[in-house]
Amino acid sequence: MNGPDTSRARILEAAAYMLKTRGLARTKLSDIAERAGMLAPSLYHHFRSKNQLVEEVMVEGIYRNTRHIMQRVEVLGPDAPSLARLTAAITAHIDFLLTGDDFASAVGQVFHDLPDETRHRVLAAYSTFDNYWRDLIVGAQRSGACRSSMDPTVMRKFLIAMLDSSSGWFRPGKLSAQEIARQACELFLHGFAT
Amino acid sequence: MNGPDTSRARILEAAAYMLKTRGLARTKLSDIAERAGMLAPSLYHHFRSKNQLVEEVMVEGIYRNTRHIMQRVEVLGPDAPSLARLTAAITAHIDFLLTGDDFASAVGQVFHDLPDETRHRVLAAYSTFDNYWRDLIVGAQRSGACRSSMDPTVMRKFLIAMLDSSSGWFRPGKLSAQEIARQACELFLHGFAT
DNA sequence: GTCTATAATCAGATAGAC
DNA sequence: GTCTATCTGATTATAGAC
């Protein structure tokens, strides 16, 4: 049942959890190790450095999230209206962040503290994600469903910031992930005013 | 012309700039000192520790930003329609972030890495800011200008996250702060769809 | 009030036993 | 593959001269 890297995977999950919860500077290797059931030096059997470990978490988080969103959009079929595609993407993103993918949440939390060199490589992985959103937004404008008077880059930045923030303030037991996703769609597409 | 704490003020400004630009973990005391025209140990004549210096930057940033927003809203007079008040607040916030107040930008950048004890105190200062936005939003709902079907807390979190993000991606020479503010108002109040 | 040492701390990383 | 022990390096912080 276990592949050759069970403990490697456990370490990555522990790291993702700690990074999402406490950020980069406040997570020590010993915290990650403890959560993975071992001591800090053992991590070096699986990863060359803290940076490499963090980088893998980031890239994995971006990859998982992108793939999840794409699936939930593409299942609608190639002829789905662009607003339906946008709605599916927003809902998928919130869902994924709030329903326990620590990797995806860690990305937003840690990205801006990454050392320059690491950040460049992570940025490359991020571009797939970013481009997908750009296409959804530009597509919605081209189809006439969204306003061309709005700058698509600004819309994307605002939207992603808004969605990403949710993993920082979401508390289970209050509004559900579904309800938050619904409000995000409403707000982004139709606004708060009556 | 110079009060008793000119260099103290210079240090705070240097710290705000470094914190907004590089985040907490990546700003060293020596960076702050250099920007203030002195060497790291000299900072200890003015501040007890890095934490205390950072805390003062945070509290000052929150205070300045809150005061700026309140002024720009209250100048409309007590009978201004609630949408005008919201619009003024959004515009003021973006303006303040993008037109060079490093203290305000540093808050969003650094807040989540603060050591627990510091963060608690900063959070107390933050509540004035937060409550003001809450009142603007709830007021707009009560007046009927904004939809009661939306959760006011979620709207506030989404709005502030969206606005705060701008200091991270704004680049002078592209869209102006005014234009970004306009798009933020449009998006938040009327949405992106046609 | 700012400097030149220098100490203290702490976290990342390595060596080598088991 | 994980441990104990140790090293290294970076950064905060202190002592004390000027």
Side-chain angles (χ1 to χ4, degrees), chain A residues 83-99:
Chain A
L83 279 193
R85 291 165 64 84
L86 253 181
T87 302
I90 292 169
T91 306
H93 190 217
I94 290 268
D95 240 48
F96 204 56
L97 288 175
L98 302 188
T99 314

Side-chain angles (χ1 to χ4, degrees), chain A residues 67-111:
Chain A
R67 197 175 48 167
H68 181 248
I69 291 174
M70 284 178 164
Q71 278 173 352
R72 297 258 298 255
V73 171
E74 301 310 334
V75 79
L76 301 175
D79 299 328
S82 51
L83 279 193
R85 291 165 64 84
L86 253 181
T87 302
I90 292 169
T91 306
H93 190 217
I94 290 268
D95 240 48
F96 204 56
L97 288 175
L98 302 188
T99 314
D101 193 89
D102 296 335
F103 289 78
S105 306
V107 176
Q109 185 71 213
V110 166
F111 182 75

Side-chain angles (χ1 to χ4, degrees), chain A residues 1-10 46:
Chain A
M1 180 85 208
N2 291 341
D5 43 7
T6 294
S7 45
R8 191 185 154 87
R10 249 193 7 263
H46 305 277

